Amino acid sequence: MRAEIRRIQEMMEREAYVTDPSIATAVHLAMVLGKPLLVEGHAGVGKTEIAKVLARMLDTRLIRLQCYEGIDAAAALYEWNYPKQLLHIRLSERGVTSVEEQEAAIFGSEFLLERPLLQALTADVAPVLLIDEVDRSDEEFEAFLLEVLSDFQVTIPEIGTISARQRPHVVLTSNRSRELSEALRRRCLFLWIGHPSLDKELRIVRAKVPGIGERLAREIAAFMRSVREMRLAKQPGTAETLDWAAALVALHADELDETLVRETLGCFLKEEADHRALAASLDEGRLPAMASL
């Protein structure tokens, strides 16, 4: 392993993010090349956490743009503070002699509400810009993002062009609820994060769940591996593993048993059909991890 990749991996692990060379390499190259990093994978596998860890590693601000269906430029870039503008007009009506003077007075930066993208461009220190779940937005918004991320500048008609003071480190995440455009993919480095191996998930549980016993941690990791081999509507991610492990520690459990598993299914399965499927597997003894307990 190259020294610079090892250093990134060590830095991420100091921030309690259990990583591997492929993740560390992607993060390193995104930083060195100044390119956005597109991270795809199942829900709950640690995509968003990469941006949070990167911000802590660099000791810089994390700016998060949460995407959703119908998000537009106003929500992502800027809006005018209309109530403040109206108040200013009313207070200064007698002192303004022309429409031009009034417009110049109310369309200044002090009346601008900066949303995440503009905040990232105007930051004095390069921030980490997290564009979370970009696949939830529509194609029109994705095209708008391309324009902003290509030049890292925007034009506000009333003010002019605003260029990035310091180029932000950009991380985009996607759960693949829809296919992203080839144009967006070409502009990004790409990282796929799958479900972790048994050993990696065990390391994650140890690192993230204080006070958990070694036996319980091993049994949880093995059980979750068996669960993910089932045909479920929504497979649990690492986030659900950690939720379950924390719940079991709170219940003062030292090991798994069938009764405890049945009583805590809601910690890692979020669909009623999946509850029924796992309960049936437990009834029939079809889960290898459970049979070995």
Side-chain angles (χ1 to χ4, degrees), residues 134-152:
V134 66
D135 53 316
R136 291 182 177 271
S137 64
D138 55 32
E139 294 178 0
E140 288 76 12
F141 183 75
E142 188 180 323
F144 162 74
L145 273 181
L146 283 175
E147 182 180 356
V148 175
L149 296 179
S150 292
D151 301 321
F152 287 95

Side-chain angles (χ1 to χ4, degrees), residues 18 37 108 122 159 161 183 195 202 222 250 254 264 272:
V18 178
L37 176 62
T122 57
I159 294 178
T161 299
H195 291 301
L202 178 57
D254 296 318
T264 55
E272 188 271 338

Side-chain angles (χ1 to χ4, degrees), residues 188-245:
C188 300
L189 298 179
F190 178 75
L191 173 64
W192 169 264
I193 300 181
H195 291 301
S197 65
L198 177 63
D199 289 342
K200 184 176 180 180
E201 190 153 32
L202 178 57
R203 291 171 58 206
I204 293 170
V205 171
R206 287 170 178 156
K208 291 287 190 177
V209 185
I212 193 167
E214 181 65 19
R215 176 172 178 174
L216 181 60
R218 288 184 176 278
E219 290 178 350
I220 289 171
F223 186 85
M224 293 301 282
R225 185 174 180 84
S226 292
V227 168
R228 293 191 188 112
E229 292 173 354
M230 299 175 59
R231 298 184 65 179
L232 300 175
K234 184 176 181 182
Q235 287 194 342
T238 310
E240 284 72 32
T241 301
L242 296 175
D243 286 344
W244 190 34

